[in-house]
Amino acid sequence: MKMTMSQKLLASKAGLDSVKPGQLIMANVDLVLGNDITSPVAIAEFAKFGRKEVFDKEKIALVPDHFAPNKDIKAAEQCKCMRNFAHDYNITNYFEVGKMGIEHALLPEQGLVTAGDLVIGADSHTCTYGALGAFSTGVGSTDMACGMATGKAWFKVPTAVRFNLTGKFNENIGGKDLILHIIGMIGVDGVLYQSMEFTGPGIQNLTIDDRFTVANMAIEAGAKNGIFPVDDITLDYLKAHGKKVPQIFEADEDAVYEKVIEIDLSTIKSTVSFPSLPDNTKTPEQWGLVKIDQVVIGSCTNGRLSDLRKAAKILKGKTINSNVRCIILPATQQIWKEAMNEGLFEIFIDAGAIVSTPTCGPCLGGHMGILAEGERAVSTTNRNFVGRMGHVKSEVYLAGPEVAAASAVKGYLADPNEGDN
Amino acid sequence: MKAKGKAYKYGNNVDTDVIIPARYLNSSVASELAQHCMEDIDDTFTKTVEKGDIIVADKNFGCGSSREHAPIAIKESGISCVIAKTFARIFYRNSINIGLPILECPDACDNIEKGDEVEVDFETGKITNLTKNIEFQAEPFPQFMQSLIEAGGLVAYMVKKGDK
Ligand code: SF4
């Protein structure tokens, strides 16, 4: 049986020689993730097992990031529930405020995910780790509870769509433009239940951070997972961060894909998702004049050091438009420290931006930058649903860090390649 | 394990908001949720549904939010199985996890009408339209998934298995 990369990895974790699309399997997971919103529900379900121990205290990661640092009393109770559980069950990878970060930036940075891992997380953007050649996917709280108790999860083996990448990005274009372009092309249910497998010579021109951004938004096209092959760029990253031994799975040469989509990276333009679905994408000639009130640079999609550097390059020596609040959220404490040491904060603060502690915050309309009625934000986050960042009549425009920074300076949605930026 | 009942028929993209509207999510009591199941798409559903009945729909059933309340409301209302051309993936997971059997079978969906008497055999994946006397074949659940549904959901299944 010819298998895709995702199918091979799943077969291995289920202890099977091969699997076929549609097959339901029970597999061993390498990591179970939860956050301050989903964990409390899972913890209640976990209690039904009546276990004194979790399946493996090293293989569970609990990250308070959504409403942390505690935004209000209810959030404080949720975080407390998770903290108590982590303490009672001796969970190694519990990240208290001060050590934390946005889960999907934090886990790879801490070396908790490696190539060949099978990861489930009670958070839909768990698909991010596909960038490292892992099979990772978002699940419900019940799955998380069972994962914590037994180390197992069931899967329906997905078919795959292959995205064959060639060429190289132009100046100020990156992973975010690519994934928004793809979602705009195939739609929010374009790869429903399928794997997105990225291949081709263009991969070598994608940094690991580009890959994180692309894999992160696979869910926004309805995918079960997004996955990249493991190459030297992956292995270098894993060596620098990893504590675990990578295992490389490769698609069979004659693996069957539902579809193959060719993408030449040199043709990708600055791409922005207009309200209120990620597939409502437009390139600069279609933007018109979109005046904005807020810019958010951060999140599990684009809150990494390279994203901050891209923003800093554009903001250096400039002033944020007086009508705009520019909020920058480094995704983890480590990224925060490095950005500070590199002098990026000085650039941001001199330009008139604020730098927040790591948190999901405004991405899900939680705290640290909620929009009022009628306000518009350009944001490097991943969802622009109605009311996602605040009032139901506020609007979110999804973009990469270059577009976000250029827009912060202009006060309207702006293309970083538009001459005088 | 078999299911038998009359069919309720729906189209594409039946989302979790019509399965159980958000205005009722202030409760997570299954019986309360079931009282409002499908009411925004079919106001006869809760009045006529009987134990064993089957929902048949087209593509992307259960799309939208990840609320586990949606399959809970369907199951609690007495529905024994949902057959669709495709399911949104989180709905699929959540259904299986709470012990609501669901099957993908485009053929069956094209050839079952509202009110038809339908029988489903979960072991073989055979779906029979008893009214029209036509058979369809869906991919049967593997043994462990059948046991999972029989046990009443993932947690119950895993707990039981752990005791052996
Ligand atoms: S940054 Fe946004 S999308 Fe990412 S995990 Fe946090 S809330 Fe979810």
Side-chain angles (χ1 to χ4, degrees), chain A residues 65-66 102-104 123 125 299-301 360 363-364 382 388:
Chain A
D65 56 358
H66 280 61
I102 298 172
E103 52 203 276
H104 310 306
D123 188 277
H125 292 99
S299 85
C300 58
T301 317
C360 294
C363 172
L364 76 161
N382 49 44
R388 174 76 177 178

Side-chain angles (χ1 to χ4, degrees), chain A residues 75-317:
Chain A
E77 295 294 341
Q78 303 250 85
C79 290
K80 185 177 160 193
C81 166
M82 187 162 81
R83 180 181 303 115
N84 288 347
F85 179 84
H87 180 259
D88 292 348
Y89 287 86
N90 283 314
I91 305 296
T92 315
N93 298 301
Y94 167 70
F95 296 91
E96 189 54 88
V97 169
K99 298 229 180 303
M100 54 79 105
I102 298 172
E103 52 203 276
H104 310 306
L106 185 69
L107 267 46
E109 174 194 274
Q110 296 295 317
L112 294 178
V113 184
T114 192
D117 273 357
L118 176 56
V119 182
I120 58 164
D123 188 277
S124 60
H125 292 99
T126 302
C127 52
T128 309
Y129 322 123
L132 299 175
F135 184 103
S136 58
T137 192
V139 296
S141 291
T142 301
D143 285 302
M144 180 189 169
C146 288
M148 290 198 299
T150 66
K152 289 182 192 300
W154 66 272
F155 297 92
K156 184 178 168 206
V157 176
T159 56
V161 172
R162 187 158 77 91
F163 294 83
N164 192 49
L165 310 181
T166 55
K168 231 180 170 161
F169 288 131
N170 289 315
E171 177 81 1
N172 291 325
I173 304 293
K176 185 62 161 288
D177 301 289
L178 170 61
I179 190 63
L180 293 182
H181 170 82
I182 290 173
I183 295 166
M185 178 168 53
I186 65 177
V188 290
D189 60 354
V191 283
L192 191 64
Y193 223 97
Q194 297 176 296
S195 301
M196 298 174 89
E197 299 211 348
F198 299 92
T199 62
I203 299 273
Q204 68 192 23
N205 298 322
L206 297 181
T207 64
I208 202 76
D209 286 1
D210 283 327
R211 300 177 197 187
F212 280 129
T213 303
V214 170
N216 173 270
M217 288 192 74
I219 180 71
E220 258 60 64
K224 185 184 188 95
N225 70 313
I227 198 163
F228 281 84
V230 178
D231 62 7
D232 287 346
I233 296 173
T234 327
L235 294 173
D236 284 350
Y237 179 90
L238 291 172
K239 216 165 139 195
H241 297 265
K243 297 167 191 144
K244 298 166 95 174
V245 184
Q247 191 185 358
I248 300 176
F249 291 90
E250 285 175 329
D252 288 321
E253 258 179 45
D254 42 4
V256 179
Y257 299 92
E258 291 280 295
K259 218 189 276 176
V260 179
I261 296 176
E262 300 286 339
I263 294 172
D264 178 353
L265 300 177
S266 70
T267 64
I268 307 285
K269 298 180 189 171
S270 294
T271 305
V272 170
S273 296
F274 276 48
S276 301
L277 278 178
D279 63 6
N280 186 21
T281 55
K282 296 183 198 294
T283 46
E285 67 283 0
Q286 304 166 302
W287 290 353
L289 183 67
V290 180
K291 283 193 143 190
I292 59 168
D293 305 280
Q294 180 163 301
V295 165
V296 172
I297 298 173
S299 85
C300 58
T301 317
N302 286 111
R304 297 182 180 80
L305 189 61
S306 61
D307 298 309
L308 303 184
R309 285 182 184 145
K310 287 172 182 173
K313 201 180 111 198
I314 287 169
L315 292 176
K316 189 169 183 164

